[in-house]
Amino acid sequence: MGFDISVSHVFSPAPALVRILRERHLRPHLLVHDDLMPEFDDVDTSSPNCVVIGDAADKFSYQNLNEAFRVLIGLEKPLLFSLGQGRYYKETDGLKLDVGVFMKALEYACDVQAEVVGKPSADFFQTVLNDMSLQPHEAVMIGDDLLNDVGGAQRCGMKGIQVRTGKYRPSDEKHPSVRADGYLDDLAAAADAILTNHE
Amino acid sequence: MGFDISVSHVFSPAPALVRILRERHLRPHLLVHDDLMPEFDDVDTSSPNCVVIGDAADKFSYQNLNEAFRVLIGLEKPLLFSLGQGRYYKETDGLKLDVGVFMKALEYACDVQAEVVGKPSADFFQTVLNDMSLQPHEAVMIGDDLLNDVGGAQRCGMKGIQVRTGKYRPSDEKHPSVRADGYLDDLAAAADAILTNHE
């Protein structure tokens, strides 16, 4: 079973962050994946007064982390934005560290707390719902990440289903604070379940 | 003014960690600087059941961090040792992120707390004092890192002097919990002060 997903159906937190940067007259030093760079084409990045990190994958080199750190520590009040706070994700060649890990690294280095834009912020889920003209109870979040997918969606009033793939770990089903509204084996099973409920 | 320092006068936390690994029958996956690798020559690193990180500098690549993470997350109970928990240090070409930053990164990724061997652990300071056959009140710690140098030494019963170089930041002098026993401009001034007090 495959899924056809067009670009217009993918919601990135980058546009929300670009709005924030504009509103607050911020010029970011960017440490994000090359694929995401075009989102920031119209953003002034001269003499940076904040740092933005996203899932940068191989760009998370020691040198690039040092550069981002030096910008932060050189600011009177270090200001760090993170596009999400995921711990890790799964690719065909294995588990990879996600942006949240490097957010924690820079937070500790500079003794600051990052502003997270994207999952699990309820604002981000609401933006997506608004774009689709849906109320929270009309949508279901399906994800493999208990805290960022399921927990974030639930705080926004949506139901959250966890799939037992990728980041899923059996201990998630006994988590002390976040409880999924349901569990399914994978995304195909989740889609089937939703279609069945609609019949 | 220069300082002659022989290898026998430098204390690394590595031997203390090697002892711990032996005692607890642990086989580490190592992510440490190449210069430190010989310390682990006699340690069994096959089928690792823990991860050891030290200041690895350029070896802190995304790929190497992913490898260390995969070892940790694959263990029934992830076990992470960190040789210190420094935030950053200064080199001639600028500030560099220290091991503590990557410790925090892996802690978050795996939801574990690392065991820190080295500064600021009081055990580590005591080991150094023992080696020099000194009581805590007979020694003075001079360092640029308020929490790891000064705070660690004070918890061991030593006096701690902070020098206003390297990691020193003016805000250190108003730190809520750690207060240095004195401040001096640099290591040369600190050495002068100690020699003068001895006259």
Side-chain angles (χ1 to χ4, degrees):
Chain A
M1 175 165 183
F3 295 92
D4 286 323
I5 298 178
S6 78
V7 170
S8 70
H9 291 135
V10 175
F11 291 87
S12 152
L17 177 56
V18 168
R19 259 197 314 278
I20 292 171
L21 295 172
R22 286 238 174 76
E23 283 165 12
R24 291 163 60 179
H25 306 289
L26 294 170
R27 300 178 305 277
H29 171 91
L30 297 167
L31 178 48
V32 302
H33 201 284
D34 285 339
D35 293 348
L36 207 63
M37 288 299 278
E39 300 266 9
F40 296 90
D41 269 352
D42 298 331
V43 173
D44 181 5
T45 55
S46 63
S47 334
N49 53 10
C50 70
V51 166
V52 167
I53 60 170
D55 169 31
D58 289 321
K59 279 177 75 179
F60 281 130
S61 64
Y62 186 60
Q63 194 185 325
N64 286 344
L65 286 168
N66 277 333
E67 267 180 43
F69 163 67
R70 287 174 198 157
V71 171
L72 279 175
I73 205 78
L75 299 172
E76 197 181 340
K77 194 164 176 286
L79 181 54
L80 173 64
F81 290 94
S82 184
L83 290 163
Q85 58 182 20
R87 289 162 195 258
Y88 55 92
Y89 54 88
K90 197 170 191 170
E91 287 206 336
T92 46
D93 57 340
L95 297 176
K96 303 271 177 92
L97 292 168
D98 200 357
V99 62
V101 170
F102 299 94
M103 174 189 86
K104 289 289 173 186
L106 290 173
E107 282 186 343
Y108 178 70
C110 305
D111 201 14
V112 292
Q113 190 156 10
E115 294 188 28
V116 178
V117 180
K119 295 189 292 187
S121 134
D123 277 358
F124 177 63
F125 283 98
Q126 192 57 56
T127 305
V128 177
L129 290 172
N130 291 348
D131 187 277
M132 300 192 292
S133 303
L134 289 174
Q135 298 294 315
H137 70 270
E138 295 175 302
V140 174
M141 174 74 200
I142 301 168
D144 62 352
D145 186 321
L146 183 68
L147 300 181
N148 289 299
D149 296 340
V150 173
Q154 288 177 336
R155 272 200 304 283
C156 179
M158 297 166 68
K159 282 208 191 317
I161 306 282
Q162 191 176 15
V163 283
R164 294 192 180 97
T165 56
K167 281 181 247 191
Y168 167 85
R169 302 188 79 190
S171 60
D172 288 346
E173 304 199 22
K174 294 171 287 189
H175 194 276
S177 57
V178 177
R179 186 161 180 78
D181 294 290
Y183 290 94
L184 286 162
D185 281 342
D186 55 28
L187 190 52
D192 280 349
I194 289 168
L195 293 172
T196 306
N197 281 341
H198 264 71
E199 276 166 7
Chain B
M1 176 166 181
F3 295 92
D4 285 324
I5 298 178
S6 79
V7 170
S8 71
H9 291 136
V10 175
F11 291 89
S12 151
L17 178 56
V18 168
R19 259 198 315 276
I20 292 170
L21 296 172
R22 287 240 173 75
E23 282 165 14
R24 291 163 61 179
H25 306 289
L26 294 169
R27 301 176 306 276
H29 171 91
L30 298 168
L31 178 48
V32 302
H33 200 284
D34 285 339
D35 293 348
L36 207 63
M37 288 299 278
E39 300 266 8
F40 296 90
D41 269 353
D42 297 331
V43 173
D44 181 4
T45 54
S46 64
S47 335
N49 54 10
C50 70
V51 166
V52 167
I53 59 171
D55 169 31
D58 289 321
K59 279 178 75 180
F60 281 130
S61 64
Y62 185 62
Q63 193 185 324
N64 286 344
L65 287 167
N66 277 332
E67 267 180 44
F69 163 67
R70 287 174 198 158
V71 171
L72 279 174
I73 206 76
L75 298 172
E76 196 180 342
K77 194 166 175 286
L79 182 54
L80 173 63
F81 291 94
S82 185
L83 290 163
Q85 57 183 21
R87 290 164 194 256
Y88 55 93
Y89 55 88
K90 198 171 190 169
E91 287 206 335
T92 46
D93 57 340
L95 297 176
K96 303 271 177 92
L97 291 168
D98 200 358
V99 63
V101 169
F102 299 93
M103 174 189 87
K104 289 289 172 185
L106 290 172
E107 281 185 345
Y108 178 71
C110 304
D111 201 14
V112 292
Q113 189 156 13
E115 295 189 28
V116 178
V117 180
K119 295 188 293 186
S121 135
D123 277 358
F124 178 62
F125 284 99
Q126 192 57 57
T127 304
V128 176
L129 289 172
N130 291 349
D131 188 277
M132 299 193 291
S133 303
L134 288 174
Q135 297 295 314
H137 71 270
E138 297 175 300
V140 175
M141 174 75 200
I142 300 167
D144 62 352
D145 186 320
L146 183 69
L147 300 180
N148 289 299
D149 295 340
V150 173
Q154 288 177 337
R155 271 201 304 283
C156 179
M158 297 166 69
K159 282 208 192 315
I161 306 282
Q162 191 176 16
V163 284
R164 295 192 180 97
T165 56
K167 279 180 247 192
Y168 167 85
R169 302 188 78 190
S171 61
D172 288 347
E173 304 199 22
K174 294 171 288 189
H175 194 276
S177 57
V178 177
R179 187 161 180 78
D181 293 290
Y183 290 93
L184 285 162
D185 280 342
D186 55 27
L187 190 52
D192 280 348
I194 290 169
L195 293 172
T196 305
N197 282 340
H198 264 73
E199 276 165 8

